[in-house]
mmCIF file of all heavy atoms in Angstrom:
data_model
loop_
_atom_site.group_PDB
_atom_site.id
_atom_site.type_symbol
_atom_site.label_atom_id
_atom_site.label_comp_id
_atom_site.label_asym_id
_atom_site.label_seq_id
_atom_site.Cartn_x
_atom_site.Cartn_y
_atom_site.Cartn_z
ATOM 1 N N THR A 1330 105.936 101.600 108.410
ATOM 2 C CA THR A 1330 107.397 101.501 108.297
ATOM 3 C C THR A 1330 107.923 100.364 109.210
ATOM 4 O O THR A 1330 108.732 99.539 108.749
ATOM 5 C CB THR A 1330 108.087 102.810 108.702
ATOM 6 O OG1 THR A 1330 107.578 103.850 107.857
ATOM 7 C CG2 THR A 1330 109.580 102.743 108.579
ATOM 8 N N VAL A 1331 107.471 100.325 110.422
ATOM 9 C CA VAL A 1331 107.966 99.294 111.344
ATOM 10 C C VAL A 1331 107.515 97.882 110.911
ATOM 11 O O VAL A 1331 108.316 96.955 110.984
ATOM 12 C CB VAL A 1331 107.413 99.577 112.771
ATOM 13 C CG1 VAL A 1331 107.667 98.386 113.744
ATOM 14 C CG2 VAL A 1331 108.121 100.846 113.338
ATOM 15 N N ILE A 1332 106.330 97.755 110.349
ATOM 16 C CA ILE A 1332 105.879 96.449 109.877
ATOM 17 C C ILE A 1332 106.708 96.001 108.694
ATOM 18 O O ILE A 1332 107.113 94.851 108.579
ATOM 19 C CB ILE A 1332 104.377 96.499 109.549
ATOM 20 C CG1 ILE A 1332 103.572 96.616 110.838
ATOM 21 C CG2 ILE A 1332 103.937 95.309 108.753
ATOM 22 C CD1 ILE A 1332 102.103 96.813 110.644
ATOM 23 N N LEU A 1333 106.979 96.952 107.790
ATOM 24 C CA LEU A 1333 107.731 96.548 106.583
ATOM 25 C C LEU A 1333 109.237 96.276 106.860
ATOM 26 O O LEU A 1333 109.860 95.617 106.091
ATOM 27 C CB LEU A 1333 107.637 97.681 105.546
ATOM 28 C CG LEU A 1333 106.273 97.797 104.863
ATOM 29 C CD1 LEU A 1333 106.245 98.979 103.895
ATOM 30 C CD2 LEU A 1333 105.896 96.505 104.195
ATOM 31 N N MET A 1334 109.707 96.763 107.972
ATOM 32 C CA MET A 1334 111.090 96.516 108.345
ATOM 33 C C MET A 1334 111.324 95.125 108.882
ATOM 34 O O MET A 1334 112.417 94.602 108.884
ATOM 35 C CB MET A 1334 111.615 97.515 109.403
ATOM 36 C CG MET A 1334 111.823 98.909 108.815
ATOM 37 S SD MET A 1334 112.207 100.109 110.018
ATOM 38 C CE MET A 1334 113.673 99.438 110.839
ATOM 39 N N GLN A 1335 110.241 94.469 109.308
ATOM 40 C CA GLN A 1335 110.361 93.126 109.902
ATOM 41 C C GLN A 1335 110.541 92.068 108.796
ATOM 42 O O GLN A 1335 109.980 92.206 107.767
ATOM 43 C CB GLN A 1335 109.168 92.869 110.804
ATOM 44 C CG GLN A 1335 109.009 93.752 111.953
ATOM 45 C CD GLN A 1335 107.818 93.392 112.789
ATOM 46 O OE1 GLN A 1335 107.301 92.311 112.728
ATOM 47 N NE2 GLN A 1335 107.355 94.378 113.563
ATOM 48 N N ARG A 1336 111.250 91.064 109.147
ATOM 49 C CA ARG A 1336 111.381 89.948 108.217
ATOM 50 C C ARG A 1336 110.202 89.044 108.429
ATOM 51 O O ARG A 1336 109.613 88.940 109.543
ATOM 52 C CB ARG A 1336 112.642 89.186 108.525
ATOM 53 C CG ARG A 1336 113.885 89.978 108.097
ATOM 54 C CD ARG A 1336 115.178 89.222 108.321
ATOM 55 N NE ARG A 1336 115.113 87.850 107.782
ATOM 56 C CZ ARG A 1336 116.033 86.955 107.992
ATOM 57 N NH1 ARG A 1336 117.058 87.223 108.750
ATOM 58 N NH2 ARG A 1336 115.944 85.769 107.427
ATOM 59 N N SER A 1337 109.858 88.357 107.393
ATOM 60 C CA SER A 1337 108.658 87.468 107.505
ATOM 61 C C SER A 1337 108.898 86.279 108.426
ATOM 62 O O SER A 1337 107.977 85.719 108.958
ATOM 63 C CB SER A 1337 108.272 86.951 106.088
ATOM 64 O OG SER A 1337 109.311 86.231 105.542
ATOM 65 N N GLU A 1338 110.193 85.922 108.617
ATOM 66 C CA GLU A 1338 110.448 84.800 109.537
ATOM 67 C C GLU A 1338 110.610 85.275 110.946
ATOM 68 O O GLU A 1338 110.855 84.463 111.836
ATOM 69 C CB GLU A 1338 111.823 84.114 109.155
ATOM 70 C CG GLU A 1338 111.808 83.437 107.784
ATOM 71 C CD GLU A 1338 112.269 84.421 106.687
ATOM 72 O OE1 GLU A 1338 113.158 85.243 106.962
ATOM 73 O OE2 GLU A 1338 111.758 84.296 105.561
ATOM 74 N N GLY A 1339 110.432 86.520 111.176
ATOM 75 C CA GLY A 1339 110.522 87.063 112.540
ATOM 76 C C GLY A 1339 111.947 87.403 112.924
ATOM 77 O O GLY A 1339 112.222 87.706 114.055
ATOM 78 N N GLY A 1340 112.863 87.447 111.958
ATOM 79 C CA GLY A 1340 114.247 87.779 112.260
ATOM 80 C C GLY A 1340 114.449 89.264 112.532
ATOM 81 O O GLY A 1340 115.313 89.647 113.256
ATOM 82 N N GLY A 1341 113.699 90.096 111.914
ATOM 83 C CA GLY A 1341 113.796 91.545 112.126
ATOM 84 C C GLY A 1341 114.983 92.168 111.504
ATOM 85 O O GLY A 1341 116.091 91.809 111.818
ATOM 86 N N LEU A 1342 114.814 93.014 110.569
ATOM 87 C CA LEU A 1342 115.857 93.789 109.857
ATOM 88 C C LEU A 1342 116.819 92.923 109.067
ATOM 89 O O LEU A 1342 117.537 93.433 108.222
ATOM 90 C CB LEU A 1342 116.627 94.663 110.838
ATOM 91 C CG LEU A 1342 115.930 95.878 111.450
ATOM 92 C CD1 LEU A 1342 116.857 96.606 112.383
ATOM 93 C CD2 LEU A 1342 115.458 96.840 110.349
ATOM 94 N N GLY A 1343 116.969 91.676 109.350
ATOM 95 C CA GLY A 1343 117.866 90.840 108.596
ATOM 96 C C GLY A 1343 119.331 91.156 108.791
ATOM 97 O O GLY A 1343 120.181 90.763 108.030
ATOM 98 N N MET A 1344 119.655 91.789 109.915
ATOM 99 C CA MET A 1344 121.042 92.160 110.140
ATOM 100 C C MET A 1344 121.680 91.137 111.126
ATOM 101 O O MET A 1344 121.066 90.710 112.046
ATOM 102 C CB MET A 1344 121.118 93.533 110.797
ATOM 103 C CG MET A 1344 120.804 94.679 109.884
ATOM 104 S SD MET A 1344 121.195 96.221 110.575
ATOM 105 C CE MET A 1344 119.673 96.761 111.224
ATOM 106 N N GLY A 1345 122.879 90.919 110.870
ATOM 107 C CA GLY A 1345 123.652 90.054 111.762
ATOM 108 C C GLY A 1345 124.297 90.956 112.805
ATOM 109 O O GLY A 1345 123.967 92.097 112.947
ATOM 110 N N GLY A 1346 125.161 90.399 113.556
ATOM 111 C CA GLY A 1346 125.897 91.185 114.551
ATOM 112 C C GLY A 1346 126.170 90.341 115.791
ATOM 113 O O GLY A 1346 126.064 89.121 115.767
ATOM 114 N N LEU A 1351 121.099 95.626 121.659
ATOM 115 C CA LEU A 1351 119.790 96.057 121.187
ATOM 116 C C LEU A 1351 119.628 95.757 119.680
ATOM 117 O O LEU A 1351 118.616 95.195 119.293
ATOM 118 C CB LEU A 1351 119.529 97.517 121.459
ATOM 119 C CG LEU A 1351 118.259 98.102 120.877
ATOM 120 C CD1 LEU A 1351 117.031 97.410 121.575
ATOM 121 C CD2 LEU A 1351 118.199 99.549 121.042
ATOM 122 N N MET A 1352 120.628 96.073 118.882
ATOM 123 C CA MET A 1352 120.440 95.897 117.470
ATOM 124 C C MET A 1352 121.018 94.585 116.935
ATOM 125 O O MET A 1352 121.392 94.535 115.770
ATOM 126 C CB MET A 1352 121.052 97.135 116.735
ATOM 127 C CG MET A 1352 120.284 98.395 117.028
ATOM 128 S SD MET A 1352 118.517 98.253 116.925
ATOM 129 C CE MET A 1352 118.246 98.253 115.196
ATOM 130 N N SER A 1353 121.140 93.617 117.712
ATOM 131 C CA SER A 1353 121.465 92.275 117.178
ATOM 132 C C SER A 1353 120.244 91.764 116.445
ATOM 133 O O SER A 1353 119.195 92.395 116.492
ATOM 134 C CB SER A 1353 121.904 91.337 118.323
ATOM 135 O OG SER A 1353 120.827 91.064 119.132
ATOM 136 N N ALA A 1354 120.329 90.643 115.784
ATOM 137 C CA ALA A 1354 119.231 90.092 115.046
ATOM 138 C C ALA A 1354 118.041 89.848 116.029
ATOM 139 O O ALA A 1354 116.880 90.196 115.714
ATOM 140 C CB ALA A 1354 119.583 88.845 114.332
ATOM 141 N N ARG A 1355 118.354 89.297 117.147
ATOM 142 C CA ARG A 1355 117.259 88.995 118.135
ATOM 143 C C ARG A 1355 116.771 90.277 118.794
ATOM 144 O O ARG A 1355 115.546 90.442 118.996
ATOM 145 C CB ARG A 1355 117.745 88.008 119.167
ATOM 146 C CG ARG A 1355 116.735 87.555 120.122
ATOM 147 C CD ARG A 1355 115.679 86.716 119.435
ATOM 148 N NE ARG A 1355 114.622 86.444 120.407
ATOM 149 C CZ ARG A 1355 113.382 86.177 120.050
ATOM 150 N NH1 ARG A 1355 113.072 86.116 118.755
ATOM 151 N NH2 ARG A 1355 112.472 85.890 120.914
ATOM 152 N N GLY A 1356 117.679 91.168 119.125
ATOM 153 C CA GLY A 1356 117.313 92.401 119.789
ATOM 154 C C GLY A 1356 116.464 93.274 118.829
ATOM 155 O O GLY A 1356 115.529 93.949 119.332
ATOM 156 N N ALA A 1357 116.853 93.309 117.576
ATOM 157 C CA ALA A 1357 116.083 94.135 116.634
ATOM 158 C C ALA A 1357 114.671 93.542 116.456
ATOM 159 O O ALA A 1357 113.700 94.290 116.366
ATOM 160 C CB ALA A 1357 116.738 94.156 115.245
ATOM 161 N N ALA A 1358 114.540 92.242 116.439
ATOM 162 C CA ALA A 1358 113.231 91.610 116.275
ATOM 163 C C ALA A 1358 112.363 91.919 117.519
ATOM 164 O O ALA A 1358 111.178 92.203 117.349
ATOM 165 C CB ALA A 1358 113.376 90.099 116.110
ATOM 166 N N ASP A 1359 112.959 91.846 118.696
ATOM 167 C CA ASP A 1359 112.197 92.170 119.942
ATOM 168 C C ASP A 1359 111.768 93.627 119.907
ATOM 169 O O ASP A 1359 110.640 93.947 120.265
ATOM 170 C CB ASP A 1359 113.026 91.874 121.135
ATOM 171 C CG ASP A 1359 113.173 90.362 121.368
ATOM 172 O OD1 ASP A 1359 112.423 89.617 120.828
ATOM 173 O OD2 ASP A 1359 114.114 90.020 122.138
ATOM 174 N N PHE A 1360 112.702 94.513 119.489
ATOM 175 C CA PHE A 1360 112.378 95.935 119.458
ATOM 176 C C PHE A 1360 111.254 96.208 118.455
ATOM 177 O O PHE A 1360 110.306 96.936 118.738
ATOM 178 C CB PHE A 1360 113.650 96.741 119.101
ATOM 179 C CG PHE A 1360 113.339 98.202 118.863
ATOM 180 C CD1 PHE A 1360 113.089 99.051 119.905
ATOM 181 C CD2 PHE A 1360 113.349 98.711 117.584
ATOM 182 C CE1 PHE A 1360 112.784 100.399 119.684
ATOM 183 C CE2 PHE A 1360 113.078 100.039 117.327
ATOM 184 C CZ PHE A 1360 112.841 100.881 118.432
ATOM 185 N N LEU A 1361 111.348 95.642 117.260
ATOM 186 C CA LEU A 1361 110.336 95.881 116.267
ATOM 187 C C LEU A 1361 109.003 95.294 116.634
ATOM 188 O O LEU A 1361 107.949 95.830 116.339
ATOM 189 C CB LEU A 1361 110.805 95.318 114.891
ATOM 190 C CG LEU A 1361 112.013 96.081 114.240
ATOM 191 C CD1 LEU A 1361 112.438 95.343 112.985
ATOM 192 C CD2 LEU A 1361 111.591 97.503 113.926
ATOM 193 N N THR A 1362 109.017 94.138 117.317
ATOM 194 C CA THR A 1362 107.774 93.534 117.732
ATOM 195 C C THR A 1362 107.092 94.415 118.781
ATOM 196 O O THR A 1362 105.894 94.624 118.765
ATOM 197 C CB THR A 1362 108.071 92.127 118.318
ATOM 198 O OG1 THR A 1362 108.678 91.342 117.309
ATOM 199 C CG2 THR A 1362 106.755 91.469 118.764
ATOM 200 N N ARG A 1363 107.880 94.909 119.727
ATOM 201 C CA ARG A 1363 107.333 95.801 120.762
ATOM 202 C C ARG A 1363 106.812 97.121 120.112
ATOM 203 O O ARG A 1363 105.792 97.626 120.475
ATOM 204 C CB ARG A 1363 108.348 96.118 121.850
ATOM 205 C CG ARG A 1363 108.592 94.932 122.689
ATOM 206 C CD ARG A 1363 109.527 95.302 123.871
ATOM 207 N NE ARG A 1363 110.027 94.132 124.520
ATOM 208 C CZ ARG A 1363 111.294 93.852 124.685
ATOM 209 N NH1 ARG A 1363 112.278 94.708 124.302
ATOM 210 N NH2 ARG A 1363 111.699 92.727 125.275
ATOM 211 N N THR A 1365 105.812 97.572 117.096
ATOM 212 C CA THR A 1365 104.603 97.297 116.319
ATOM 213 C C THR A 1365 103.394 97.248 117.257
ATOM 214 O O THR A 1365 102.329 97.855 116.930
ATOM 215 C CB THR A 1365 104.741 95.990 115.530
ATOM 216 O OG1 THR A 1365 105.862 96.093 114.688
ATOM 217 C CG2 THR A 1365 103.493 95.699 114.748
#
Side-chain angles (χ1 to χ4, degrees):
T1330 303
V1331 169
I1332 288 172
L1333 290 177
M1334 286 173 58
Q1335 296 180 21
R1336 289 181 51 189
S1337 60
E1338 296 91 34
L1342 290 179
M1344 289 192 261
L1351 175 66
M1352 293 315 283
S1353 67
R1355 184 67 186 155
D1359 289 341
F1360 173 74
L1361 291 175
T1362 302
R1363 287 188 195 125
T1365 302

